[in-house]
Amino acid sequence: MLKNIRFIAVTISLLFLSVTASQAVVQLVDIESTGVRNDLDNNITQGVVASGSGLPGDFVVTMCSTFSDGNNLFLEPTPGDWLGLDSGECGGSEPCILGIFGTFVESADSSDITCRWTDQTSVFAAGTFRYAGVDPDNPIIAVACNTGAGGLVVAPSVDTEPGSAVIGISAIGASLNLLSQDIVGFLFAQGVSSAAGQIVIEFGESLEFPHGGPTGEIVLAGTNADWRACTIALRMEPTTIPTLSEWGMLVTAAVMMLIGVYFAVRRRRAINP
């Protein structure tokens, strides 16, 4: 009887371990943000934001925003080799532009990332999310964006996978002296306005999706200005830990073997008492 109880306890422990392992997720390890304005000259074409610190091999998502009259374009950040996730104008009269880029970093230390764009402006805002556990070969599950002029700032729904991390990011831009905007409660938020009347606000959120499926629309804010909002889903790196079904097969095989041994011994004792 005691042996049977021990076997059941070991089996339950293995099943619990497998369930715990199957719920691992991409982990957010650091957040950075910055905002820059130049009231003397309307001549900014780049801005610097920190990568954050963590471990070698982390995946850094950099989100850059600045003013635009509809002609501005983001260039690839420096230094490093960056994957362009999205770059585009805000809705309405397009007074802002948002660029999103990702890369794997070799150093555990934080370093400077330079966002660059083509037209001279007087404002710049940016943020970075640094993640551990991202698939090194295929890090991106999905990217989708919405634009609008006033109203609710809504990042679209995407289909994601178990263990993923999902970013909701938005840029809001205006050439107004007064901007009505509530950006309380986000992981980072940067608002910059210049004497030239240029305004850009950037804010972002990171969510875990251990079970995958549709993310649903992410309502980020409400505004009276033009905006762009994006959803990015990051894929979890492959794991060699057995899944629940694999553990189930192993436990079932062990149980069948023990049952076979039990009846063989019982039959032998019955024949040779």
Side-chain angles (χ1 to χ4, degrees):
M1 182 65 178
L2 181 60
K3 291 182 178 179
N4 291 337
I5 293 174
R6 288 177 179 174
F7 174 75
I8 292 171
V10 170
T11 301
I12 293 174
S13 298
L14 290 175
L15 290 172
F16 178 78
L17 175 62
S18 67
V19 171
T20 302
S22 68
Q23 293 181 348
V25 296
V26 175
Q27 295 182 341
L28 178 66
V29 296
D30 205 356
I31 307 164
E32 296 285 352
S33 64
T34 189
V36 176
R37 57 183 285 178
N38 188 338
D39 287 335
L40 299 178
D41 297 298
N42 183 30
N43 64 355
I44 299 176
T45 56
Q46 65 181 35
V48 175
V49 62
S51 68
S53 58
L55 295 173
D58 287 345
F59 189 71
V60 174
V61 178
T62 299
M63 300 154 283
C64 314
S65 56
T66 188
F67 190 84
S68 175
D69 60 3
N71 298 311
N72 206 358
L73 296 172
F74 271 109
L75 306 173
E76 183 178 301
T78 59
D81 184 17
W82 291 85
L83 175 65
L85 304 182
D86 179 78
S87 183
E89 303 280 352
C90 296
S93 58
E94 303 178 332
C96 69
I97 185 171
L98 173 65
I100 308 171
F101 305 88
T103 191
F104 289 96
V105 293
E106 298 180 357
S107 174
D109 299 327
S110 183
S111 60
D112 287 343
I113 299 166
T114 301
C115 297
R116 305 179 298 145
W117 54 95
T118 57
D119 292 355
Q120 294 182 344
T121 69
S122 61
V123 292
F124 162 69
T128 58
F129 288 154
R130 181 164 177 154
Y131 293 93
V134 176
D135 188 336
D137 299 318
N138 193 14
I140 306 301
I141 300 171
V143 179
C145 299
N146 286 336
T147 62
L152 291 178
V153 179
V154 181
S157 178
V158 299
D159 289 330
T160 191
E161 300 173 3
S164 63
V166 174
I167 299 169
I169 177 71
S170 180
I172 294 175
S175 54
L176 307 173
N177 293 325
L178 179 64
L179 179 64
S180 173
Q181 179 59 49
D182 181 9
I183 53 174
V184 177
F186 292 94
L187 289 181
F188 85 87
Q190 285 288 338
V192 185
S193 62
S194 70
Q198 296 183 2
I199 301 173
V200 65
I201 300 175
E202 182 177 293
F203 47 98
E205 188 66 85
S206 179
L207 307 168
E208 292 182 354
F209 278 77
H211 303 297
T215 62
E217 292 184 335
I218 304 173
V219 179
L220 295 169
T223 184
N224 62 350
D226 298 338
W227 54 269
R228 184 178 186 87
C230 299
T231 305
I232 303 103
L234 304 180
R235 179 175 285 109
M236 183 179 68
E237 65 182 340
T239 176
T240 57
I241 300 175
T243 64
L244 178 59
S245 60
E246 291 169 339
W247 276 118
M249 293 176 64
L250 292 172
V251 171
T252 300
V255 170
M256 296 299 292
M257 182 182 68
L258 290 175
I259 291 174
V261 171
Y262 170 78
F263 280 106
V265 172
R266 184 177 179 182
R267 181 179 180 183
R268 183 176 179 181
R269 289 178 177 175
I271 295 173
N272 302 302

